[in-house]
Amino acid sequence: MSARRVSVWVVGLLCAMMGVYMFAASASASTLPDGRFYEQVTPEEKYGSDVYTPPVWSDQYEEGQVKQSKEAESTLETEFTFQAAADGSGIAYVAAPTVGGNENGGLRGGNEYLARRSSSGGWSNLVLSPEKAPDSVFQVFSPDLTTAIVDAQTPLSALAPGFYDVLYSASTEGDELAPLFSTKPPYRAMGLFGTAGPHREPVAGLNAHREGKRFLALEGMSADYTHLLFAANDALTEAAEGRPAAEGGEEPQFETEDNLYESVDGRLRLVNVLPNGTTHANATFGAVETFGPSSEKRAVLSRVISADGSRVFWTDLSTGHIYMRENGARTVEISSQGTYQTASADGSIAFYTNGDLYAYEVASGHTTDLTPGVTVEGVVGSSENGEYLYYLTEGKKLALWHAGASSPITSVPIRLSSEPMTAEVTPNGHSIVFTLEESKFYPIIDETNYVQKVEVYEAETGTLHCVSCTSTGTLGRLPITNAENVYQPRWMTANGAHVFFVSREGLVPQDTNETQDVYEWERAGAGGCAEPGGCLYLLSGGTSVGHTAFLDASESGEDVFIVTRANLVGSDEDGLADVYDVRAGQERPAPPACTGTGCQGLPSASPIFATPSSVTFEGVGNFAAPAKEPKAKPKPKKRPKPKHKKKRKKKGRTHTAKRSRTSKSVRVARAGARGGRS
């Protein structure tokens, strides 16, 4: 028996110290659940270009040996952004260059595209990446996908300070693009300017193209996108309105110390102002924590800004003091020591650890020890009102604080010491989904490794569900799709009734391809599920020779976006990687009155920052039952010759294009863009 199969029996020993441990029942995958059907989002004609994928689960244990999965050979993984609209009406995704955009292709490149569902039921696709700025990175979008935050060193506006790295607020509807600051950094050279502090990098190695380079990262935003936070190692603001100038200088120490900035409706103001009205560089939004055997550092950025943008939480790294900056006018000290963890959505309560877990009430200035005598390593997530707090104990076991009391959830450690925990909490705090990682010893290969599975805890009943545990398999994890931004994909619906995850193991009999597939767990009583432990459904084909990756879901869970080479509809015949919407609860759209490339329609105007004009494609509409999936990938169609020639290095079967910093100017866009929410 393989070590992987042996582990299935072992992981079943996990139980909750309170409540009941329940397994999901595997429902039939011959039909999709809740009336779901497949809509092809990407166009039929892609000029031979694949949609890229987020990181793929590539290694697996089989008969005591570690082997590379079949799909790893041809996978084009990317660190760029995948994000669905909150209502499921669109998705931003990454794909190889086609028409328009730029030549940023290869293993960690790709162009950013935006797909929208049209009124006729089909999908239109637009390339967003600026043609003459292959260094541009789309970090995050507003919930309705009308606004994007773009990072680029190539100037995308006449207001940008030359070829310095700049964050832009960009309209995806083609109106305006505005830099978050226009001041030329006075002390740092272009190659040395950026954010000096640590950033969250969920998957190791995905930022290779930025190794040794400074860049800016969006670190927080208000719900309406009018307040945007970033840190930079230079003095970008002068003294004004009773506020001090940002601290800086040419000395080497300032190159590694950040000032904190808040862009408010296009106006820049300093955040790291002390209560006495002075300022000090070497600050960070939220906090910085140490992790792993090599004592690496990462930022803690959970709710560092309130939903209305009035309150911002930060730490002075020189003293360790935790502060709150309110309305750009006053600063309040929260604690003289400790590590900021999170806050309520309105910013009225801040939580930090200093051995125990503490709550600070902004209105009264009162501090409460929530876990007297219990050491807390960190907060995993909380409800929006702060009444439910999920935290890790000193032994990395998960527990819940609610109504003045703590309750243990797991009896074993739940994450690796070198990686952050992957979890999501519902807005009301009643449910949490997380990837549980258990260390297991494999005697056949004399090595310890980790078994991952997906767990859901329901606070109201004290029940822990292993949603990836069935009679045929156990392995599962919540997929990470974005490594460079503050957006987290939706793994769970707001009511906690649906969870989406990936597994490389067949959890239902219909999953036979031994590669990564996408699953949905449904709580008992939701949809058509009547099983006490919930129901498990296969959302991807389960027979494709390549993997299927989860991208994102709408807030309701009615739209689940995946990327796969499988031909899930009859009109998809090219064998290239496509984005699909596994859609529920909607009447299928009428079929378009055309086929093939004839359905592309007329080109529509592209955003100003994506010049020259891009091509808009029209997707397909009505889909019948999925066609049989191909057993081999057809040879891709020949792609048009790129307009800008670059030398590319071969790496395995893919090509990588190094991110360049071009000196050519691009078409100028007007400043002053405003966006949607956080």
Side-chain angles (χ1 to χ4, degrees), residues 83-86 139-149 218-229 301-309 345-346 384 485-490 552 555 674-678:
Q83 182 175 337
Q139 293 192 356
V140 68
F141 291 81
S142 59
D144 59 3
L145 305 185
T146 59
T147 301
I149 302 301
L218 188 73
E219 300 193 28
M221 55 275 190
S222 60
D224 62 2
Y225 257 59
T226 58
H227 296 247
L228 303 169
L229 306 180
L301 299 174
S302 175
R303 293 190 185 137
V304 292
I305 184 171
S306 59
D308 64 0
D346 62 2
E384 291 185 346
N485 58 46
V486 295
Y487 178 76
Q488 175 178 284
R490 302 178 185 95
D552 203 358
E555 288 183 342
R674 292 180 58 177
R677 74 143 248 216
S678 72

Side-chain angles (χ1 to χ4, degrees), residues 442-456:
Y442 291 84
I444 300 176
I445 58 176
D446 191 26
E447 186 176 316
T448 299
N449 212 288
Y450 295 88
V451 172
Q452 296 179 323
K453 53 186 179 175
V454 180
E455 307 277 349
V456 171

Side-chain angles (χ1 to χ4, degrees), residues 36 43 90 139 158 211 271 372 431 436 461 484 524 533 546 554 604 619 643-644 668 673:
R36 291 190 184 274
Q139 293 192 356
E211 187 175 354
V271 173
S431 297
L436 185 147
T461 61
E484 283 195 339
S554 60
S604 61
K643 296 180 181 179
H644 305 283
V668 176

Side-chain angles (χ1 to χ4, degrees), residues 241-243 269-270 273-275 310 325-331:
E241 302 178 16
R243 293 188 295 271
R269 63 191 188 192
L270 189 66
V273 179
L274 298 172
S310 64
R325 182 70 173 168
E326 189 169 28
N327 292 318
R330 72 171 188 134
T331 300

Side-chain angles (χ1 to χ4, degrees), residues 314-451:
W314 62 282
T315 298
D316 185 338
L317 296 176
S318 298
T319 63
H321 291 211
I322 306 171
Y323 296 104
M324 180 205 67
R325 182 70 173 168
E326 189 169 28
N327 292 318
R330 72 171 188 134
T331 300
V332 176
E333 181 177 288
I334 293 175
S335 176
S336 61
Q337 56 184 342
T339 303
Y340 171 86
Q341 294 295 327
T342 191
S344 57
D346 62 2
S348 62
I349 308 173
F351 301 96
Y352 67 93
T353 52
N354 185 22
D356 299 352
L357 176 61
Y358 294 87
Y360 174 86
E361 298 178 28
V362 172
S364 65
H366 181 68
T367 299
T368 303
D369 186 347
L370 303 182
T371 61
V374 178
T375 299
V376 174
E377 182 177 300
V379 173
V380 172
S382 70
S383 59
E384 291 185 346
N385 60 13
E387 294 181 1
Y388 290 79
L389 286 169
Y390 294 88
Y391 65 89
L392 293 178
T393 66
E394 190 174 19
K396 292 182 171 49
K397 298 175 183 178
L398 186 62
L400 167 66
W401 180 90
H402 173 61
S406 292
S407 305
I409 296 175
T410 65
S411 58
V412 297
I414 65 170
R415 71 169 181 175
L416 301 171
S417 61
S418 61
E419 295 180 5
M421 180 183 176
T422 305
E424 182 179 0
V425 177
T426 54
N428 62 15
H430 293 180
S431 297
I432 180 175
V433 60
F434 59 95
T435 299
L436 185 147
E437 296 175 311
E438 288 183 287
S439 60
K440 298 297 177 186
F441 179 72
Y442 291 84
I444 300 176
I445 58 176
D446 191 26
E447 186 176 316
T448 299
N449 212 288
Y450 295 88
V451 172

Side-chain angles (χ1 to χ4, degrees), residues 43-360:
E44 295 175 22
E45 177 55 72
K46 295 181 289 297
Y47 301 98
S49 295
D50 279 308
V51 174
Y52 289 8
T53 75
V56 176
W57 201 342
S58 59
D59 294 327
Q60 60 188 95
Y61 279 90
E62 190 108 359
E63 297 299 336
Q65 300 294 326
V66 180
K67 75 172 186 177
Q68 196 74 5
S69 61
K70 299 173 184 177
E71 68 271 19
E73 217 177 283
S74 59
T75 292
L76 280 172
E77 297 182 5
T78 181
E79 65 184 342
F80 290 178
T81 300
F82 297 92
Q83 182 175 337
D87 63 0
S89 63
I91 183 170
Y93 65 92
V94 186
T98 53
V99 176
N102 56 60
E103 296 179 56
N104 190 10
L107 185 62
R108 292 179 175 89
N111 280 203
E112 195 78 35
Y113 293 79
L114 177 63
R116 289 283 193 186
R117 181 182 288 110
S118 65
S119 57
S120 63
W123 287 80
S124 62
N125 289 259
L126 182 71
V127 61
L128 298 178
S129 296
E131 181 178 355
K132 296 182 180 179
D135 62 325
S136 59
V137 175
F138 285 71
Q139 293 192 356
V140 68
F141 291 81
S142 59
D144 59 3
L145 305 185
T146 59
T147 301
I149 302 301
V150 185
D151 173 42
Q153 188 168 344
T154 301
L156 303 179
S157 166
L159 299 177
F163 287 85
Y164 280 87
D165 200 90
V166 175
L167 290 173
Y168 297 85
S169 177
S171 169
T172 62
E173 298 180 342
D175 295 328
E176 297 172 331
L177 183 147
L180 299 196
F181 65 93
S182 57
T183 303
K184 179 181 177 181
Y187 303 113
R188 303 279 85 77
M190 288 183 290
L192 299 177
F193 173 75
T195 304
H199 295 280
R200 295 179 297 176
E201 296 179 3
V203 180
L206 286 183
N207 289 323
H209 71 285
R210 285 184 161 176
E211 187 175 354
K213 298 180 181 179
R214 296 285 190 208
F215 65 97
L216 292 178
L218 188 73
E219 300 193 28
M221 55 275 190
S222 60
D224 62 2
Y225 257 59
T226 58
H227 296 247
L228 303 169
L229 306 180
F230 69 95
N233 62 349
D234 213 330
L236 301 179
T237 56
E238 299 178 349
E241 302 178 16
R243 293 188 295 271
E247 186 181 31
E250 296 180 354
E251 294 84 352
Q253 73 179 75
F254 291 112
E255 184 182 328
T256 59
E257 295 181 352
D258 285 326
N259 282 297
L260 309 180
Y261 298 100
E262 179 183 17
S263 176
V264 184
D265 290 330
R267 294 177 293 107
L268 195 65
R269 63 191 188 192
L270 189 66
V271 173
N272 53 304
V273 179
L274 298 172
N276 62 6
T278 63
T279 188
H280 198 290
N282 197 28
T284 184
F285 291 110
V288 173
E289 66 178 356
T290 302
F291 72 103
S294 58
S295 298
E296 297 178 66
K297 295 183 181 298
R298 61 171 168 245
V300 179
L301 299 174
S302 175
R303 293 190 185 137
V304 292
I305 184 171
S306 59
D308 64 0
S310 64
R311 292 164 175 165
V312 180
F313 301 96
W314 62 282
T315 298
D316 185 338
L317 296 176
S318 298
T319 63
H321 291 211
I322 306 171
Y323 296 104
M324 180 205 67
R325 182 70 173 168
E326 189 169 28
N327 292 318
R330 72 171 188 134
T331 300
V332 176
E333 181 177 288
I334 293 175
S335 176
S336 61
Q337 56 184 342
T339 303
Y340 171 86
Q341 294 295 327
T342 191
S344 57
D346 62 2
S348 62
I349 308 173
F351 301 96
Y352 67 93
T353 52
N354 185 22
D356 299 352
L357 176 61
Y358 294 87
Y360 174 86

